[in-house]
């Protein structure tokens, strides 16, 4: 089918789960992709999440729109991440 018009938190979680379910030893997830899974922390300007601009030397930057305190204190966000990791079979106890 056609891709969605925008990357909603549900779409971001589905994509993240597919990455976590891969058989690779490690899965590296950019912070902006992880934050996109939670509506409160998802970027309001997806174009602003671009990390680099081709053709411009030394132009690698990205600013997180949410504070680390808010991210760290969100029990719902933490539980959603734990659930994704567990569903993917990567939660080691």
């Amino acid at each position: 089918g056609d891709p969605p018009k925008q990357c909603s938190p549900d779409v971001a979680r589905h994509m993240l789960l597919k990455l976590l379910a891969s058989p690779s030893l490690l899965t590296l997830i950019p912070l902006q992709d992880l934050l996109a899974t939670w509506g409160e922390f998802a970027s309001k300007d997806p174009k602003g999440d671009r990390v680099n601009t081709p053709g411009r030397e030394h132009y690698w930057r990205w600013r997180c729109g949410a504070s680390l305190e808010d991210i760290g204190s969100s029990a719902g966000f933490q539980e959603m991440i734990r659930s994704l990791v567990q569903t993917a079979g990567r939660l080691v106890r």
Side-chain angles (χ1 to χ4, degrees), residues 38-91:
W38 197 250
E40 180 182 342
F41 302 136
S43 175
K44 307 302 182 247
D45 175 23
K47 290 181 181 176
D49 281 346
R50 187 176 193 151
V51 176
N52 73 321
T53 303
R56 295 181 75 179
E57 190 173 334
H58 307 294
Y59 197 73
W60 288 79
R61 66 183 178 98
W62 177 74
R63 301 273 187 227
C64 183
S67 74
L68 294 179
E69 291 80 8
D70 289 343
I71 295 168
S73 65
S74 175
F77 181 64
Q78 293 172 25
E79 174 57 29
M80 183 272 308
I81 293 170
R82 188 200 62 73
S83 177
L84 285 174
V85 172
Q86 182 177 17
T87 300
R90 290 185 177 256
L91 188 61

Side-chain angles (χ1 to χ4, degrees), residues 6 37-38 75:
Q6 64 183 32
T37 64
W38 197 250

Side-chain angles (χ1 to χ4, degrees), residues 18-33:
K18 292 292 186 185
L19 288 172
L20 289 168
S22 76
S24 65
L25 180 62
L26 298 174
T27 301
L28 302 177
I29 302 165
L31 182 58
Q32 61 267 42
D33 293 347

Side-chain angles (χ1 to χ4, degrees), residues 12-23:
R13 280 191 294 274
H14 179 75
M15 292 186 328
L16 203 61
L17 185 57
K18 292 292 186 185
L19 288 172
L20 289 168
S22 76

